[in-house]
Amino acid sequence: MVRRGDGGPLGAVRVDQEAHQEAVLTVVGWIPAAKVLTYGDISELLGHGGPRRVGRALSLAGSEVPWWRVLRAGGHPAQGLAHRARTYYDAEGTPLLLPAREAYDADYRVDLARARWSPTESEHVRLARLSDSLGGVGP
DNA sequence: AGGATGACATTAC
DNA sequence: GGTAATGCCATCC
């Protein structure tokens, strides 16, 4: 539950960010196993803020969400998390692009062409409603 | 107020 | 296939 405008003038600003963070976490939670989205995809789906905001929200959420299903634009997992993420990809069967000669276990990227999640129509409606709840109109 | 920082993206070379 | 420059948005110093 989100409380709006009840913390004073500075609180009003913070409420929006909290709502946005909540929306990011919600979307991440909708990504099915073995599927992924990029930071840019999520910011675009929400229609607010930018990719960095998504990373910010995930870093705050910690392990409460499937963070390994959110990647950078090139298919690499979040910086410094490749090793931890690999375990999940292995378990879920996420399609990976492995180098011909694997130097170390973090040397890989996710096959975005096969693994990128496409929201269904009903999910898209929910996304639109989520986007609306952030302020009605995009920036 | 002004600058540095961060789980990023895009473009250019 | 890389690295560098620029844009971006909120937070922290």
Side-chain angles (χ1 to χ4, degrees), chain A residues 26-101:
Chain A
T26 301
V27 173
V28 172
W30 288 347
I31 307 176
K35 289 292 179 179
V36 298
L37 285 180
T38 69
Y39 293 94
D41 286 340
I42 294 178
S43 68
E44 203 166 314
L45 284 172
L46 291 177
H48 289 268
R52 308 197 78 135
R53 297 279 322 276
V54 178
R56 190 79 50 182
L58 287 174
S59 72
L60 294 174
S63 54
E64 309 234 339
V65 291
W67 51 263
W68 60 93
R69 294 174 191 156
V70 184
L71 313 173
R72 290 190 276 170
H76 291 93
Q79 184 61 39
L81 300 176
H83 181 77
R84 270 172 278 175
R86 179 72 183 264
T87 323
Y88 293 102
Y89 300 140
D90 208 26
E92 295 181 359
T94 307
L96 301 180
L97 296 175
L98 299 173
R101 190 72 151 257

Side-chain angles (χ1 to χ4, degrees), chain A residues 5-30:
Chain A
D6 56 353
L10 288 177
V13 176
R14 182 137 173 75
V15 167
D16 259 355
Q17 313 314 62
E18 245 179 65
H20 185 279
Q21 179 191 347
E22 199 62 30
V24 169
L25 301 185
T26 301
V27 173
V28 172
W30 288 347

Side-chain angles (χ1 to χ4, degrees), chain A residues 2 4 16 18-30 42 45-48 117 122-138:
Chain A
V2 178
R4 296 176 171 277
D16 259 355
E18 245 179 65
H20 185 279
Q21 179 191 347
E22 199 62 30
V24 169
L25 301 185
T26 301
V27 173
V28 172
W30 288 347
I42 294 178
L45 284 172
L46 291 177
H48 289 268
W117 177 52
S122 62
E123 283 161 341
H124 209 279
V125 170
R126 280 188 258 174
L127 283 168
R129 202 167 1 148
L130 206 56
S131 174
D132 277 352
S133 74
L134 294 182
V137 194

